[in-house]
């Protein structure tokens, strides 16, 4: 399979974290996602309340009762520092056991970069919720879980040697499912407007492919230099 780690002359040769078959498609997805974030950020810049779409979706999702509130709270925890650390430690441990170091780097760097970009964008958008001190757009929780799921699916695509169609479907499906789950949790708990979560989802889709490309380029350059 194209994603199998091989050993040549006693040296481990790791596969790329971005399969060649997906590079063009992921670049297009990243560009489109960045455009979505830009448009939403400009549309809701400086707002202190929900838009019309936010209000309609929020009315259906906010204030859910048991057991949905507990599910929403548990999902929200996965985007908190403790929950995120738990997911990352589990993922990195699995990558290291598989002797795939660049995959471990991507899990941390991709998720961290996605959250970091949301922190940079929030003061630029200056959209608030539940008070002037709570910057809302884009959602960092949604960006994290989307980035984590996208990365895991990307790595699975490489390990399984999936083709362009199946690989793209797996990556986008996993990212969308994770983004939808965390997005619902953020709206249900009143932490974000629905469009904030779309912004977080788009941020992850825009950032992770770029970080993955950088990880591959850096790892390949180091391998050639030491070789």
């Amino acid at each position: 399979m194209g994603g199998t780690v091989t050993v040549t002359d006693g040296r481990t040769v790791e596969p790329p974290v971005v399969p060649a078959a997906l590079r063009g498609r992921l670049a297009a997805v990243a560009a489109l996602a960045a455009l979505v974030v830009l448009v939403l950020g400009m549309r809701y810049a400086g707002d202190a309340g929900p838009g019309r779409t936010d209000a309609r979706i929020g009315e259906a999702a906010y204030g859910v009762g048991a057991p949905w509130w507990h599910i929403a709270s548990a999902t929200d925890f996965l985007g908190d520092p403790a929950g995120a650390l738990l997911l990352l430690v589990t993922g990195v441990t699995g990558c290291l056991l598989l002797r795939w170091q660049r995959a471990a780097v991507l899990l941390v760097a991709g998720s961290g970069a996605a959250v970091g970009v949301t922190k940079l964008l929030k003061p630029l958008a200056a959209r608030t919720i539940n008070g002037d001190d709570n910057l809302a757009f884009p959602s960092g929780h949604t960006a994290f879980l989307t980035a984590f799921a996208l990365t895991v699916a990307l790595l699975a695509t490489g390990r399984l040697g999936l083709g362009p169609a199946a690989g793209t479907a797996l990556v986008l499906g996993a990212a969308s499912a994770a983004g939808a789950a965390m997005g619902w949790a953020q709206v249900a708990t009143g932490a974000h407007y629905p469009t904030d979560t779309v912004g977080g989802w788009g941020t992850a889709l825009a950032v992770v492919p770029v970080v993955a490309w950088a990880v591959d380029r850096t790892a390949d350059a180091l391998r050639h230099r030491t070789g």
Side-chain angles (χ1 to χ4, degrees), residues 178-193:
M182 182 60 81
W184 166 77
Q186 295 305 293
V187 176
T189 57
H192 281 284
Y193 304 116

PDB file of all heavy atoms in Angstrom, residues 178-193:
ATOM      1  N   ALA A 178     -17.191  15.598  12.175  1.00  0.00           N
ATOM      2  CA  ALA A 178     -16.638  16.158  13.415  1.00  0.00           C
ATOM      3  C   ALA A 178     -17.041  17.615  13.585  1.00  0.00           C
ATOM      4  O   ALA A 178     -17.392  18.050  14.688  1.00  0.00           O
ATOM      5  CB  ALA A 178     -15.112  16.023  13.400  1.00  0.00           C
ATOM      6  N   GLY A 179     -16.979  18.370  12.497  1.00  0.00           N
ATOM      7  CA  GLY A 179     -17.367  19.773  12.572  1.00  0.00           C
ATOM      8  C   GLY A 179     -18.828  19.949  12.926  1.00  0.00           C
ATOM      9  O   GLY A 179     -19.193  20.830  13.717  1.00  0.00           O
ATOM     10  N   ALA A 180     -19.686  19.094  12.362  1.00  0.00           N
ATOM     11  CA  ALA A 180     -21.120  19.174  12.658  1.00  0.00           C
ATOM     12  C   ALA A 180     -21.398  18.811  14.113  1.00  0.00           C
ATOM     13  O   ALA A 180     -22.224  19.457  14.782  1.00  0.00           O
ATOM     14  CB  ALA A 180     -21.896  18.257  11.722  1.00  0.00           C
ATOM     15  N   ALA A 181     -20.713  17.785  14.615  1.00  0.00           N
ATOM     16  CA  ALA A 181     -20.926  17.361  15.998  1.00  0.00           C
ATOM     17  C   ALA A 181     -20.507  18.447  16.983  1.00  0.00           C
ATOM     18  O   ALA A 181     -21.260  18.793  17.907  1.00  0.00           O
ATOM     19  CB  ALA A 181     -20.146  16.075  16.280  1.00  0.00           C
ATOM     20  N   MET A 182     -19.303  18.993  16.778  1.00  0.00           N
ATOM     21  CA  MET A 182     -18.845  20.047  17.685  1.00  0.00           C
ATOM     22  C   MET A 182     -19.640  21.331  17.482  1.00  0.00           C
ATOM     23  O   MET A 182     -19.925  22.054  18.443  1.00  0.00           O
ATOM     24  CB  MET A 182     -17.352  20.310  17.492  1.00  0.00           C
ATOM     25  CG  MET A 182     -16.784  21.362  18.439  1.00  0.00           C
ATOM     26  SD  MET A 182     -16.968  20.919  20.201  1.00  0.00           S
ATOM     27  CE  MET A 182     -15.570  19.800  20.396  1.00  0.00           C
ATOM     28  N   GLY A 183     -19.995  21.620  16.233  1.00  0.00           N
ATOM     29  CA  GLY A 183     -20.796  22.808  15.966  1.00  0.00           C
ATOM     30  C   GLY A 183     -22.135  22.757  16.677  1.00  0.00           C
ATOM     31  O   GLY A 183     -22.577  23.742  17.288  1.00  0.00           O
ATOM     32  N   TRP A 184     -22.790  21.596  16.619  1.00  0.00           N
ATOM     33  CA  TRP A 184     -24.059  21.435  17.332  1.00  0.00           C
ATOM     34  C   TRP A 184     -23.856  21.630  18.831  1.00  0.00           C
ATOM     35  O   TRP A 184     -24.660  22.285  19.495  1.00  0.00           O
ATOM     36  CB  TRP A 184     -24.628  20.044  17.061  1.00  0.00           C
ATOM     37  CG  TRP A 184     -25.737  19.684  18.013  1.00  0.00           C
ATOM     38  CD1 TRP A 184     -27.022  20.123  17.979  1.00  0.00           C
ATOM     39  CD2 TRP A 184     -25.616  18.839  19.160  1.00  0.00           C
ATOM     40  NE1 TRP A 184     -27.724  19.591  19.043  1.00  0.00           N
ATOM     41  CE2 TRP A 184     -26.897  18.798  19.775  1.00  0.00           C
ATOM     42  CE3 TRP A 184     -24.582  18.106  19.727  1.00  0.00           C
ATOM     43  CZ2 TRP A 184     -27.135  18.058  20.929  1.00  0.00           C
ATOM     44  CZ3 TRP A 184     -24.808  17.354  20.875  1.00  0.00           C
ATOM     45  CH2 TRP A 184     -26.090  17.338  21.462  1.00  0.00           C
ATOM     46  N   ALA A 185     -22.789  21.058  19.367  1.00  0.00           N
ATOM     47  CA  ALA A 185     -22.529  21.182  20.805  1.00  0.00           C
ATOM     48  C   ALA A 185     -22.313  22.637  21.204  1.00  0.00           C
ATOM     49  O   ALA A 185     -22.799  23.085  22.260  1.00  0.00           O
ATOM     50  CB  ALA A 185     -21.312  20.348  21.196  1.00  0.00           C
ATOM     51  N   GLN A 186     -21.611  23.391  20.359  1.00  0.00           N
ATOM     52  CA  GLN A 186     -21.348  24.791  20.674  1.00  0.00           C
ATOM     53  C   GLN A 186     -22.626  25.629  20.657  1.00  0.00           C
ATOM     54  O   GLN A 186     -22.819  26.520  21.474  1.00  0.00           O
ATOM     55  CB  GLN A 186     -20.328  25.364  19.679  1.00  0.00           C
ATOM     56  CG  GLN A 186     -18.952  24.736  19.769  1.00  0.00           C
ATOM     57  CD  GLN A 186     -18.378  24.818  21.160  1.00  0.00           C
ATOM     58  OE1 GLN A 186     -18.069  25.897  21.657  1.00  0.00           O
ATOM     59  NE2 GLN A 186     -18.255  23.673  21.825  1.00  0.00           N
ATOM     60  N   VAL A 187     -23.490  25.336  19.710  1.00  0.00           N
ATOM     61  CA  VAL A 187     -24.765  26.061  19.632  1.00  0.00           C
ATOM     62  C   VAL A 187     -25.695  25.620  20.756  1.00  0.00           C
ATOM     63  O   VAL A 187     -26.361  26.447  21.400  1.00  0.00           O
ATOM     64  CB  VAL A 187     -25.434  25.832  18.256  1.00  0.00           C
ATOM     65  CG1 VAL A 187     -26.806  26.499  18.212  1.00  0.00           C
ATOM     66  CG2 VAL A 187     -24.554  26.387  17.140  1.00  0.00           C
ATOM     67  N   ALA A 188     -25.737  24.329  21.035  1.00  0.00           N
ATOM     68  CA  ALA A 188     -26.629  23.804  22.075  1.00  0.00           C
ATOM     69  C   ALA A 188     -26.274  24.349  23.448  1.00  0.00           C
ATOM     70  O   ALA A 188     -27.156  24.576  24.288  1.00  0.00           O
ATOM     71  CB  ALA A 188     -26.584  22.279  22.084  1.00  0.00           C
ATOM     72  N   THR A 189     -24.989  24.551  23.703  1.00  0.00           N
ATOM     73  CA  THR A 189     -24.558  25.071  25.002  1.00  0.00           C
ATOM     74  C   THR A 189     -24.504  26.597  25.034  1.00  0.00           C
ATOM     75  O   THR A 189     -24.165  27.182  26.063  1.00  0.00           O
ATOM     76  CB  THR A 189     -23.170  24.520  25.369  1.00  0.00           C
ATOM     77  OG1 THR A 189     -22.231  24.855  24.332  1.00  0.00           O
ATOM     78  CG2 THR A 189     -23.214  23.009  25.528  1.00  0.00           C
ATOM     79  N   GLY A 190     -24.834  27.232  23.925  1.00  0.00           N
ATOM     80  CA  GLY A 190     -24.861  28.686  23.880  1.00  0.00           C
ATOM     81  C   GLY A 190     -23.500  29.348  23.789  1.00  0.00           C
ATOM     82  O   GLY A 190     -23.366  30.541  24.043  1.00  0.00           O
ATOM     83  N   ALA A 191     -22.472  28.581  23.399  1.00  0.00           N
ATOM     84  CA  ALA A 191     -21.118  29.126  23.344  1.00  0.00           C
ATOM     85  C   ALA A 191     -20.842  29.862  22.033  1.00  0.00           C
ATOM     86  O   ALA A 191     -19.985  30.744  21.985  1.00  0.00           O
ATOM     87  CB  ALA A 191     -20.093  28.007  23.525  1.00  0.00           C
ATOM     88  N   HIS A 192     -21.569  29.494  20.962  1.00  0.00           N
ATOM     89  CA  HIS A 192     -21.319  30.085  19.650  1.00  0.00           C
ATOM     90  C   HIS A 192     -22.606  30.177  18.851  1.00  0.00           C
ATOM     91  O   HIS A 192     -23.568  29.440  19.091  1.00  0.00           O
ATOM     92  CB  HIS A 192     -20.305  29.250  18.859  1.00  0.00           C
ATOM     93  CG  HIS A 192     -18.877  29.469  19.264  1.00  0.00           C
ATOM     94  ND1 HIS A 192     -18.162  30.582  18.908  1.00  0.00           N
ATOM     95  CD2 HIS A 192     -18.038  28.697  19.988  1.00  0.00           C
ATOM     96  CE1 HIS A 192     -16.931  30.494  19.401  1.00  0.00           C
ATOM     97  NE2 HIS A 192     -16.842  29.368  20.071  1.00  0.00           N
ATOM     98  N   TYR A 193     -22.591  31.065  17.856  1.00  0.00           N
ATOM     99  CA  TYR A 193     -23.636  31.100  16.854  1.00  0.00           C
ATOM    100  C   TYR A 193     -23.319  30.027  15.803  1.00  0.00           C
ATOM    101  O   TYR A 193     -22.151  29.654  15.623  1.00  0.00           O
ATOM    102  CB  TYR A 193     -23.695  32.468  16.170  1.00  0.00           C
ATOM    103  CG  TYR A 193     -23.878  33.627  17.110  1.00  0.00           C
ATOM    104  CD1 TYR A 193     -22.887  34.604  17.232  1.00  0.00           C
ATOM    105  CD2 TYR A 193     -25.035  33.761  17.865  1.00  0.00           C
ATOM    106  CE1 TYR A 193     -23.039  35.670  18.083  1.00  0.00           C
ATOM    107  CE2 TYR A 193     -25.209  34.834  18.725  1.00  0.00           C
ATOM    108  CZ  TYR A 193     -24.202  35.789  18.829  1.00  0.00           C
ATOM    109  OH  TYR A 193     -24.359  36.851  19.693  1.00  0.00           O
TER     110      TYR A 193
END
